[in-house]
Amino acid sequence: MDALHERTAVELRDLLAAGELTPTEATEHFLDRIERLNPAVGAFATVTPERARKRAAELQETRGAGSGEGTPPPSGSLWGLPTGDKDLWNRAGVPTGFGSRAFAGLPPAEESDEIVQVLDDAGIVSLGKTAAPELGFPAYTEPVGAAPARTPWDLGRGAGGSSGGAAAAVAAGMLPFAPGSDGGGSIRIPAAACGVVGLKPTRGLLPAGSGVDSLGGLVVNGPIARTVADTALLLEAMLPRRAGGGVAHPYTLRAPSYAAGAYLAAAQRAELPEGVAGRRAARIGVTTSSAWDGFYDIAVSPEAHAGLDAGVRALAGAGHEVEQTVLAEAPEYAPAFRTLWMGGASAVPIDDPETLGKLEPLTQWLIRSGREVPARRLAEAVRTLTGFERSLVAQVSAYDAVVTPALALTPRPIGWYDAEDPERNFEQQCQYTPFTSMLNVAGLPAITVPTHWTEPTAEAPAGLPMGVQIIGRPGGELTLLALAAQIEAALPRPRTFPV
């Protein structure tokens, strides 16, 4: 049998369900991987081995309470599978660091956040907190006072952010999959930098982390995994079902959702759903334009073009109709997004000047700038971005999907971002990740999938991962999973782990 970390999450699920693997065995294997690899990779901010062992034992006891050998495991689609909580989420009894020295030493929360509860109900075993940058704002995970999260493909380069620890843990085989959150690309950016799959769902799809409750509807939760099917498996678990099978939504505003198992089936069968032309062929637009064009100097590197070309060839080889397209210019986007981003930062519950002074320059700049934004200007920015949303949804909906590079540049070296000049830092982030935030604004689903590895170097013996982002229509996750699975089948990733 392959080592457990070499198995997919779907395979591990099946082994657990069949009784051929216990939660304790899975937990111990991945805790061992974390102990050995985390000092170099920096994927975990906090590891909770004793809590994990206790949880695994409790799950085993519930199975043992059945009627005998062969008894199916208790309810929970992820029963016994290890994963981690992003260090921006509260888990009762475990400190939350929020990627910041300003929160060091604070007592643990008494209650878990909703997304943590949802995954617990699905049967997971949390091994700890995956690393995040300060308050989740940067697109890189290099918090002051803590080890940076590194892409396992080159330990001199960052894992991206803000779900950088989650993606690094998955890429290094420290977790089979991991949940993340995405307010401007924070699932897709690190997934691309680490050579794994990351899915940002449609706004309103997930009950916990739907985006409906965040300013401008930007922040949604979603899955990160090594394979498209594993990504779909975790997505399914993030969609808690009522007794009748419908998703248990707390809001009236929601995205279209499908029957339990439909997302995993789309990924495993790699077949397009009904409604897509011919069901086996799609019309796909390809673009390197973004909403930041004209505001910052955006240049797509040769490596990013190579990743895009590989993904497009794979889709064309699968029989899809592929054509070049250009997004409509949107000069109003950049200033409005900056205003909204700063407006969101203004609500960070830190009013004490001494505590505020402990934050990093970028975070301080965002918070202070946001608190100086007049209410009218913020309202105008929201209205402007709502207009942009209508425009982008219409442009994307002219196709079954639209493909862009996942990132404009290769994974960035540790320390590349300007630590002292916040304005320059923000510009660098947009230059690295110009294709992601516009989809948070529009609420559209998008998935990143690796397609290409650069030439090997001494620092990156297997090369660096590059990939594509596939953008769907509202509620188009089935199409995205099927297309990503077709790319994955045509362009398999290296079989070996980078560390």
Side-chain angles (χ1 to χ4, degrees), residues 7 17 92 150 162 199 201 215 338 397-398 401 419 421 452 462 470 494:
R7 295 286 190 137
R150 305 169 184 270
S162 64
L199 172 65
L215 182 64
R338 283 166 53 98
S397 295
D421 184 347
H452 170 75
I470 313 173

Side-chain angles (χ1 to χ4, degrees), residues 39-43 141 147-160 164 167-169 193-194 414:
V41 179
T141 305
R150 305 169 184 270
T151 175
W153 299 96
D154 179 350
L155 295 176
R157 295 175 182 261
C194 293
I414 299 292

Side-chain angles (χ1 to χ4, degrees), residues 302-304 306-308 310 313 449-455 464-467 491:
E303 296 88 349
L308 178 63
R313 285 196 302 270
V449 58
T451 57
H452 170 75
W453 267 257
T454 64
E455 290 296 319
L464 293 171
M466 303 302 296
L491 302 169

Side-chain angles (χ1 to χ4, degrees), residues 8-94:
T8 68
V10 171
E11 290 172 337
L12 292 175
R13 177 203 62 177
D14 293 344
L15 289 171
L16 286 160
E20 298 175 26
L21 175 69
T22 69
T24 293
E25 289 169 337
T27 295
E28 291 296 344
H29 180 88
F30 285 98
L31 282 174
D32 179 68
R33 294 280 295 179
I34 293 168
E35 183 178 8
R36 290 190 292 109
L37 298 176
N38 196 58
V41 179
F44 277 82
T46 304
V47 184
T48 54
E50 295 311 312
R51 290 178 62 98
R53 292 181 176 114
K54 180 181 178 182
R55 165 72 167 171
E58 290 171 347
L59 289 173
Q60 283 184 215
E61 288 175 6
T62 60
R63 182 188 183 102
S67 58
E69 187 174 346
T71 300
S75 61
S77 61
L78 304 183
W79 186 84
L81 282 169
T83 189
D85 310 313
K86 188 172 179 178
D87 197 29
L88 302 181
W89 300 332
N90 288 319
R91 173 175 287 278
V94 179

Side-chain angles (χ1 to χ4, degrees), residues 86-447:
K86 188 172 179 178
D87 197 29
L88 302 181
W89 300 332
N90 288 319
R91 173 175 287 278
V94 179
T96 306
F98 299 100
S100 175
R101 56 190 171 180
F103 293 89
L106 290 182
E110 295 182 1
E111 295 185 4
S112 298
D113 286 345
E114 184 182 5
I115 181 60
V116 171
Q117 296 174 15
V118 166
L119 292 174
D120 280 354
D121 289 344
I124 63 98
V125 177
S126 173
L127 306 188
K129 296 287 189 75
T130 55
E134 190 164 70
L135 298 171
F137 287 115
Y140 58 98
T141 305
E142 301 173 30
V144 172
R150 305 169 184 270
T151 175
W153 299 96
D154 179 350
L155 295 176
R157 295 175 182 261
S162 64
S163 304
V170 172
M174 288 189 267
L175 291 175
F177 51 25
S181 57
D182 191 317
S186 289
I187 287 171
R188 293 157 289 152
I189 294 164
C194 293
V196 294
V197 181
L199 172 65
K200 183 199 89 68
T202 305
R203 181 188 299 139
L205 178 65
L206 300 183
S210 70
V212 174
D213 54 351
S214 67
L215 182 64
L218 298 182
V219 184
V220 298
N221 294 333
I224 297 171
R226 284 175 55 225
T227 71
V228 177
D230 289 353
T231 303
L233 178 67
L234 183 51
L235 177 68
E236 296 268 9
M238 299 171 85
L239 286 163
R241 304 280 175 169
R242 299 188 189 277
V247 177
H249 277 288
Y251 305 108
T252 55
L253 182 63
R254 62 194 65 176
S257 59
Y258 299 90
Y263 298 96
L264 183 56
Q268 291 179 321
R269 297 173 185 167
E271 293 181 1
L272 298 175
E274 287 190 50
V276 174
R279 296 193 62 189
R280 294 186 180 276
R283 182 168 177 252
I284 298 173
V286 179
T287 187
T288 56
S289 56
S290 85
W292 293 101
D293 293 346
F295 190 84
Y296 291 131
D297 182 16
I298 304 297
V300 179
S301 69
E303 296 88 349
H305 274 294
L308 178 63
D309 292 345
V312 170
R313 285 196 302 270
L315 291 171
H320 301 300
E321 177 187 340
V322 176
E323 63 182 70
Q324 296 293 322
T325 187
V326 178
L327 299 180
E329 293 184 3
E332 75 287 351
Y333 175 87
F337 182 85
R338 283 166 53 98
T339 296
L340 185 69
W341 199 248
M342 293 172 178
S346 72
V348 169
I350 298 177
D351 297 309
D352 173 54
E354 182 179 352
T355 304
L356 193 60
K358 294 179 181 179
L359 299 178
E360 298 168 27
L362 173 68
T363 316
Q364 288 193 45
W365 174 68
L366 289 170
I367 292 173
R368 296 184 193 278
S369 299
R371 290 176 180 176
E372 295 173 358
V373 173
R376 177 175 177 175
R377 184 172 147 207
L378 181 59
E380 289 171 345
V382 171
R383 183 170 63 246
T384 294
L385 293 176
T386 298
F388 174 83
E389 175 184 343
R390 290 172 62 98
S391 173
L392 188 59
V393 168
Q395 293 176 69
V396 169
S397 295
Y399 300 91
D400 295 304
V402 171
V403 177
T404 74
L407 301 169
L409 306 171
T410 56
R412 296 292 80 200
I414 299 292
W416 182 75
Y417 295 95
D418 195 314
E420 302 300 327
D421 184 347
E423 185 72 69
R424 172 61 181 148
N425 184 300
F426 193 87
E427 179 181 7
Q428 289 175 304
Q429 293 184 63
C430 295
Q431 290 173 324
Y432 179 42
T433 67
F435 307 106
T436 56
S437 67
M438 61 187 179
L439 304 176
N440 297 83
V441 169
L444 290 169
I447 190 170

